[in-house]
Structures are given as structure tokens and as C-alpha cells.
Amino acid sequence: MISNPEYEKLDGLMEWLKSVPFEVLRHGRLYNAEELYRGYEPSDDENKDRASFANCYDSRVYQHFMSHGKIAKEVYESVARTFHDHAIHTSLMAFLANHDPRRCVGIMGGHAILRTDPMFASIALLSKRLTEDGFFMVSGGGPGAMEATHLGAWMAGRTNEETEEVVRMLASKAESFKDRAWVSSAFEVMRRYPQDKYVSLGIPTWLYGHEPSTPFATHIAKYFVNSVREDTILTVAFGGIIYTPGSAGTLQEIFQNAVQNHYLSFGFASPMIFLGKHFWTEDVPVYPMIQQMMGTGRYKNLLLTLTDDSAEIEQVLKDFQKTIPYD
């Protein structure tokens, strides 16, 4: 039997769930750019532009998230975030029921890669070709290498010259996600080059909400809890993961993915491809260390590739599709 004080607690919870600025139960729907940035009206007037951006859905949720603590201070808030992230998870499962995760390829890399960096264009062109080959791309859904991943998927079906032109245009408007026009320039590209044929999946988090989510991802699973988000990115990329130059977050993803593959957590190991020989052997010498651990048996089952050649990456991923178990 529920006592009156307990009823009052339930009433309080229901009122809290109604008051938060995010939709607690999403009923099978992932986000998209239009929803996340609803309310943002780009303006040449910097003050108006910043005020409008601060009032969009994504910004208001992030402000609420920060004001109530990255680790929620109130039980009601913790429940609201848990309900939301569970709804995102079930929405993601519905998405994957229609998009075979064995064709899902992840690209991981630094959020700080500028649009002017040659690596940005290289990632975009690689992602474009893989999307055209029937893969669908997943990333952490933010700026840098992540944005390049979804830009490439968005430009699938168009020419390399058009894609390179778009990269130059984006770089001229805002080379970094810290620049005011970073989001608005992406929407400008999407209006100029509309498409509804190809999909890509971004999985960002409000824990890093100071980094805006890339509008180029057609489907966005945005979580509050970053640990769930990180594991989800690595889990759904059954088709393999490409590691481009990055720092702490990328390194975390490498070793977390290595554990999944070592233990064959999902029945098989997927390719781990390192793009950038000098970076992964000299600047951040992770690759030789993993090779050594493979040689001593501390890692098993890892399918490793180190290359500077995007054509080799494509071939490795295509060859893997011939061996992947299909029930």
C-alpha cells in the first residue's frame, strides 16, 4: 500500500519530468539536426546570433544539464536523464533493426581537427566512398574528425570535386567549432546540397556539450551519460573502426574496442584500422605496443591494419564483409 507521503513523492517526480527542457520519453525517435537546433536563427548580427543559438533546444538542454550537475544532484533529475537515455537506446535499436550494424563502420579521431587540416578532407572523402559502397558511418557526432565523417556521408553520390569545394567553403566560414559560424555554415551546405538517400549515425553527449553536434549526421543519438554513449559507439560499429589522429578520447576508444575484440564480446572481432603511420608509430606509438601485446598473447583476435592509403582501408573493410557471420 502506498502512503500519502509516497504519493507526494510520485507527484513531485511527475512534475519534475514535465518541467525539464528535454523530452523524457521519445517513443522510438532519434534526434536530427533540425530538432537539436530548433529555435536557432543564424544572423549576421553577432549578438543576435549568439542569443538565438543560446536559446535553441540543444543549448537549453546543455544549460539545464550543467546547472543541475554533470552528476545529477537531485534524484528526480537523475530519473529524468535515465528515462531519456533509455528512450534514446530503444530508438537506436529500432534504427539498427532497419540498418544492418554489420555494415556500420566507425571513424574515431580528434575533435580539434580543423576544417583547414588536410586530414579533415581525407576523412570526408573516405567516408563518402564508404557510404557509396553500402556502408553507413558512425562517429561521436561532434566536430573535427567526427564532422568530417558525417560531411562525407552527406556528400555521397556527388563528385569528389564538389566535396572538396564544400570543405573549402566550410573552412572559409569557420575553421573551428569554436568559431561562431560553425553550425550555420553546415546548415548552409545542407541547403545547397540536399539529400535524403544516405544515412549516418552520430552519437554525441551533453557531457561534452560545449562541442556542438554536427548537423551533417542524419540520425543523432544524444546521451546524457557519456560512458553509455562511448560503449554504444564501439558496440554498433560491427563493420570495423578507423582510428584517425586524436588524443585522450581516441586512445580510450582504441583500448575499449580492443577489449571487445579480444573477448569476442559479440561473437566476432571487427577490423581496427589505424590511419596515419607516422602518427600511430611515432607521435602516439600505440600501434607497436598493441602489436607487442598481440605477440605475447595479452591481446588475441585483433584484426589490425596500419596504413596511409584510403584504398587499402576500403579493401580491408570489404574483405571483412566476406567473412563476417550472417545468421
Side-chain angles (χ1 to χ4, degrees):
M1 190 173 191
I2 300 179
S3 65
N4 284 336
E6 288 170 329
Y7 272 123
E8 290 175 4
K9 289 180 181 179
L10 288 175
D11 287 342
L13 173 60
M14 293 307 297
E15 289 304 311
W16 187 275
L17 296 181
K18 293 176 186 176
S19 72
V20 295
F22 52 91
E23 191 177 1
V24 174
L25 299 176
R26 295 189 52 81
H27 305 295
R29 294 181 296 109
L30 294 176
Y31 290 108
N32 57 31
E34 288 73 19
E35 184 174 5
L36 278 184
Y37 293 110
R38 185 176 61 229
Y40 174 45
E41 297 292 340
S43 172
D44 292 334
D45 183 308
E46 182 173 349
N47 290 330
K48 287 183 178 179
D49 188 85
R50 292 189 183 280
S52 179
F53 188 83
N55 194 48
C56 76
Y57 175 88
D58 193 53
S59 296
R60 287 187 288 107
V61 175
Y62 178 57
Q63 292 158 15
H64 174 89
F65 174 73
M66 295 298 290
S67 68
H68 289 278
K70 293 180 178 180
I71 298 176
K73 301 169 187 174
E74 304 97 342
V75 172
Y76 290 170
E77 175 66 15
S78 181
V79 171
R81 294 180 188 180
T82 299
F83 280 177
H84 171 276
D85 282 6
H86 177 70
I88 289 295
H89 177 74
T90 57
S91 299
L92 180 56
M93 293 304 101
F95 170 84
L96 292 174
N98 294 307
H99 300 85
D100 189 345
R102 288 167 293 195
R103 302 290 294 177
C104 181
V105 171
I107 295 185
M108 310 298 161
H111 68 273
I113 292 178
L114 300 177
R115 288 168 165 177
T116 51
D117 191 318
M119 181 58 73
F120 185 93
S122 296
I123 294 169
L125 290 169
L126 172 60
S127 177
K128 173 182 176 295
R129 288 193 295 273
L130 290 173
T131 302
E132 291 166 345
D133 286 338
F135 295 98
F136 75 94
M137 310 306 295
V138 65
S139 87
M146 295 172 281
E147 182 192 31
T149 299
H150 297 287
L151 170 61
W154 186 270
M155 295 299 291
R158 300 187 183 273
T159 66
N160 287 351
E161 289 74 22
E162 285 175 305
T163 304
E164 291 164 350
E165 160 107 25
V166 162
V167 170
R168 288 192 293 270
M169 187 274 275
L170 288 169
S172 70
K173 299 278 186 178
E175 69 171 359
S176 166
F177 73 91
K178 297 177 182 179
D179 296 328
R180 181 170 61 88
W182 188 84
V183 170
S184 60
S185 59
F187 276 113
E188 185 178 339
V189 167
M190 293 165 70
R191 287 191 297 270
R192 185 179 299 183
Y193 296 97
Q195 70 92 7
D196 58 9
K197 180 178 180 181
Y198 299 99
V199 302
S200 68
L201 175 64
I203 308 183
T205 173
W206 277 290
L207 182 68
Y208 301 136
H210 61 288
E211 300 175 7
S213 302
T214 173
F216 291 115
T218 60
H219 295 74
I220 301 172
K222 192 157 190 174
Y223 288 89
F224 287 108
V225 180
N226 183 54
S227 58
V228 174
R229 169 253 188 176
E230 288 279 3
D231 187 70
T232 300
I233 297 169
L234 300 173
T235 296
V236 302
F238 285 115
I241 295 180
I242 302 159
Y243 293 99
T244 68
S247 54
T250 308
L251 293 175
Q252 174 187 332
E253 289 156 351
I254 290 169
F255 290 107
Q256 193 170 342
N257 186 218
V259 170
Q260 287 183 351
N261 287 321
H262 171 83
Y263 287 112
L264 303 178
S265 299
F266 303 101
F268 57 90
S270 301
M272 298 177 66
I273 302 171
F274 294 78
L275 176 59
K277 287 184 177 179
H278 186 273
F279 183 86
W280 292 118
T281 60
E282 300 293 333
D283 296 340
V284 181
V286 169
Y287 193 84
M289 187 194 77
I290 293 177
Q291 278 189 311
Q292 182 184 27
M293 293 178 71
M294 284 276 289
T296 60
R298 289 182 172 86
Y299 273 145
K300 297 178 181 179
N301 305 314
L302 305 193
L303 306 176
L304 302 176
T305 300
L306 175 67
T307 185
D308 291 316
D309 185 357
S310 60
E312 182 180 0
I313 292 174
E314 293 176 63
Q315 194 60 54
V316 167
L317 294 172
K318 289 178 181 177
D319 288 344
F320 177 66
Q321 287 294 308
K322 300 172 185 176
T323 66
I324 196 169
Y326 280 81
D327 297 329

